Amino acid sequence: ASVGMSRRVEIAPSVLPCDFSRLGEEVAALEAAGVDRIHWDIMDGQFVPNLTIGPDVVAATRAHTSLPFEAHLMVLTPDVMAARYVEAGCSRLIVHAEACPHLHRTLANIASLGAKASVALNPATPASAVAHVLDLVDMVLVMTVNPGFGGQQYIATMEPKIREVRRMITERGLTDRVDLEVDGGIGPSTIAAAAGAGANILIAGNNDPISSKGIDMLKAETFFGVYVVSIRANWWLRGIGDENVHECRSIEEAKAEAQADY
Ligand code: DX5
Ligand code: ZN
């Protein structure tokens, strides 16, 4: 299915697979490799059974890159934590609908902190959960894994929900204002289906060359990985089927092709 070309396609790496002992260098290398933003997976050990990165660690890397930071707040108390992550240098906060009894107020509060507000939906949460707050968000994140860990299997049964959220955004005339991000298990073999269902911001984690290799390989693989993945997503959005997507033989070729595509 081909969709309007006005929708940009962005690849955002999750920091989870990065080398946590060198996060400053890692975000700098990701910027050098051409990604569009950094996706911080923040987990509090309450909302999800894992504990990752606090605001001081995010703040420590802020000066190492000029890329925008988004904080995926997989936390039980987003209202309490929001200001800390904005102070740490995150320009976008993603709260989980399931953690916000007063989601409308939480999103308005994030905007009042000067950050962009986004809302994430766990696999079992219906798209209708965001029907009455689309005017308050700049992005809806449809989880394609159960949150808590990287390296999980992409849940393809989320594609009807991606399509439904895309339809809600389109019907409200919000295509240029509200992005649709998918998160979890996205890589060269799953990106076409996710983008084809309507996602335009794609989180690359363990399933993509970006993060599965060491930092040295990262530069080569990331350029290659990001551009190949971007080409795939972009071609899919244009309705060019997977049969036309081929692996580029070099970084230069991938860049030239991606440039031509954009
Ligand atoms: C899971 C996180 C995702 C995930 C992405 O809770 O929100 O960002 O780590 O990594 P992969 O692509 O490995 O699923
Ligand atoms: Zn995430």
Side-chain angles (χ1 to χ4, degrees):
S2 71
V3 288
M5 266 319 297
S6 70
R7 196 189 308 166
R8 63 197 165 143
V9 174
E10 285 198 13
I11 305 289
S14 157
V15 294
L16 278 195
C18 286
D19 176 347
F20 276 28
S21 71
R22 299 182 309 135
L23 273 175
E25 293 159 65
E26 297 271 73
V27 294
L30 283 167
E31 177 169 23
V35 298
D36 303 295
R37 64 177 81 172
I38 301 284
H39 181 86
W40 291 90
D41 279 315
I42 309 300
M43 303 181 193
D44 65 356
Q46 302 290 321
F47 182 69
V48 291
N50 195 358
L51 181 58
T52 57
I53 293 162
D56 293 346
V57 174
V58 175
T61 69
R62 184 60 273 179
H64 291 256
T65 173
S66 58
L67 286 177
F69 284 176
E70 66 180 33
H72 177 188
L73 296 175
M74 290 165 274
V75 303
L76 217 46
T77 57
D79 292 308
V80 173
M81 300 308 292
R84 297 295 324 280
Y85 282 93
V86 174
E87 287 152 24
C90 297
S91 52
R92 173 179 288 106
L93 300 186
I94 307 166
V95 297
H96 267 266
E98 304 85 3
C100 300
H102 303 289
L103 179 60
H104 190 279
R105 180 165 50 213
T106 297
L107 293 168
N109 285 346
I110 290 170
S112 68
L113 291 170
K116 292 178 180 147
S118 307
V119 55
L121 300 175
N122 278 339
T125 307
S128 57
V130 298
H132 305 292
V133 292
L134 274 187
D135 58 314
L136 296 177
V137 300
D138 88 308
M139 184 173 82
V140 176
L141 192 174
V142 175
M143 292 301 296
T144 41
V145 293
N146 286 295
F149 303 91
Q152 299 179 88
Q153 194 70 30
Y154 172 77
I155 304 174
T157 52
M158 291 300 113
E159 283 160 22
K161 186 193 319 186
I162 299 168
R163 261 190 286 281
E164 190 178 347
V165 172
R166 174 51 68 191
R167 192 170 46 253
M168 289 160 72
I169 292 170
T170 308
E171 282 168 0
R172 314 273 181 94
L174 297 173
T175 304
D176 294 336
R177 217 166 57 73
V178 179
D179 286 319
L180 202 175
E181 180 172 284
V182 290
D183 186 11
I186 299 297
S189 64
T190 57
I191 191 165
N200 67 303
I201 313 283
L202 302 125
I203 301 298
N206 292 283
N207 292 278
D208 190 88
I210 281 185
S211 314
S212 51
K213 301 228 171 31
I215 199 78
D216 300 341
M217 287 297 286
L218 186 71
K219 290 192 185 71
E221 291 287 333
T222 300
F223 247 103
F224 192 83
V226 169
Y227 278 102
V228 169
V229 165
S230 300
I231 289 171
R232 282 177 188 277
N234 195 274
W235 282 20
W236 189 272
L237 287 174
R238 291 181 172 173
I240 299 169
D242 241 356
E243 64 285 352
N244 297 318
V245 180
H246 61 283
E247 301 296 334
C248 301
R249 275 173 299 289
S250 73
I251 289 177
E252 286 65 38
E253 184 194 350
K255 274 196 76 175
E257 207 162 286
Q259 225 62 53
D261 252 9
Y262 285 103

